[in-house]
């Protein structure tokens, strides 16, 4: 009997059960020291690799791990510190602007609120979702290119836009797995369900996934 193109609630439950069994406490790969440095790191990670951001932020965060310290450091110094990251000029400006706004409007603290986060310079929905999830434990889902691909390929949350995929995932992911769902899916897309050559032969959910052109094991 052919599989339905739609995943059943039982299929979805089994997918996340397997992810949890294999990696009970998944972590993001950006390095940070506190909610503020997490926010800065995520802003810097747009169109850049986590590895590249981590190299740049390690010495930066050693001297500027609060909004006040970052503002005191100044835009020129921030720009020099992150010049190996793509779009570094605009990002340095946003880091200083958002740091000033955190001081002026939030007492130097990162707000646990989506609207307040998205009002900060350089912060969009995806960045806010990452911060809300990692810093404050909300079951948000930040849809990057990896997660967008996994949502569509597997049949978990087919959608034409990142927002569509996000909203569908929020509906189908069982509550018990909401806290870590976005990490499991991003890591799966980054290391197994790759864009050009998905490694289906070592995929935990290959038998459930609705992707038809599964890649055979290398010989």
């Amino acid at each position: 009997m052919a599989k339905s193109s739609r995943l059943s609630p039982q299929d979805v439950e089994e997918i996340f059960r397997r992810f949890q069994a294999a990696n009970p406490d998944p972590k993001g790969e950006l390095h940070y020291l506190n909610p503020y440095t997490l926010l800065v790191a995520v802003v810097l990670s747009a169109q850049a690799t986590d590895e590249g951001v981590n190299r740049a932020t390690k010495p930066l965060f050693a001297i500027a791990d609060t909004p006040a310290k970052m503002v005191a450091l100044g835009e020129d110094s921030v720009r020099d510190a992150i010049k190996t990251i793509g779009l570094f000029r605009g990002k340095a400006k946003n880091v200083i602007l958002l740091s000033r706004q955190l001081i002026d409007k939030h007492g130097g603290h990162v707000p646990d609120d989506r609207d307040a986060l998205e009002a900060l310079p350089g912060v969009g929905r995806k960045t806010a979702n990452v911060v809300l999830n990692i810093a404050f434990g909300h079951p948000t889902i930040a849809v990057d290119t990896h997660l967008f691909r996994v949502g569509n390929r597997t049949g978990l949350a087919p959608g034409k836009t990142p927002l569509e995929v996000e909203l569908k995932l929020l509906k189908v992911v069982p509550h018990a797995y909401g806290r870590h769902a976005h990490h499991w899916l991003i890591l799966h897309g980054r290391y197994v369900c790759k864009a050009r050559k998905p490694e289906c032969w070592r995929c935990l959910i290959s038998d459930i996934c609705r992707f038809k052109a599964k890649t055979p094991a290398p010989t």
Side-chain angles (χ1 to χ4, degrees), residues 41-60:
V42 180
V43 168
L44 296 179
S45 71
Q47 298 183 49
T49 66
D50 288 358
E51 184 180 6
V53 172
N54 290 339
R55 282 196 300 269
T57 57
K58 184 176 181 179
L60 175 63

Side-chain angles (χ1 to χ4, degrees), residues 153 192-203 206 209 211-219:
R153 262 190 191 161
V192 180
C193 194
K194 301 175 183 179
R196 293 187 180 180
K197 291 185 178 180
E199 298 180 5
C200 302
W201 68 89
R202 67 181 191 92
C203 173
S206 181
C209 171
F211 183 54
K212 292 181 180 179
K214 289 189 169 65
T215 311
T219 56

Side-chain angles (χ1 to χ4, degrees), residues 38-107:
L38 171 65
L39 173 62
V40 171
V42 180
V43 168
L44 296 179
S45 71
Q47 298 183 49
T49 66
D50 288 358
E51 184 180 6
V53 172
N54 290 339
R55 282 196 300 269
T57 57
K58 184 176 181 179
L60 175 63
F61 291 161
I63 57 174
D65 61 353
T66 68
K69 290 178 184 178
M70 195 70 75
V71 169
L73 192 60
E75 185 177 332
D76 289 347
S77 295
V78 173
R79 186 171 58 244
D80 287 343
I82 65 169
K83 62 187 177 183
T84 56
I85 300 174
L87 309 175
F88 67 94
R89 290 181 178 84
K91 290 177 180 179
K93 181 178 181 179
N94 281 335
V95 166
I96 295 299
L97 289 174
L98 72 83
S99 298
R100 286 179 178 151
Q101 195 163 314
L102 288 174
I103 294 168
D104 294 343
K105 296 186 176 182
H106 304 288

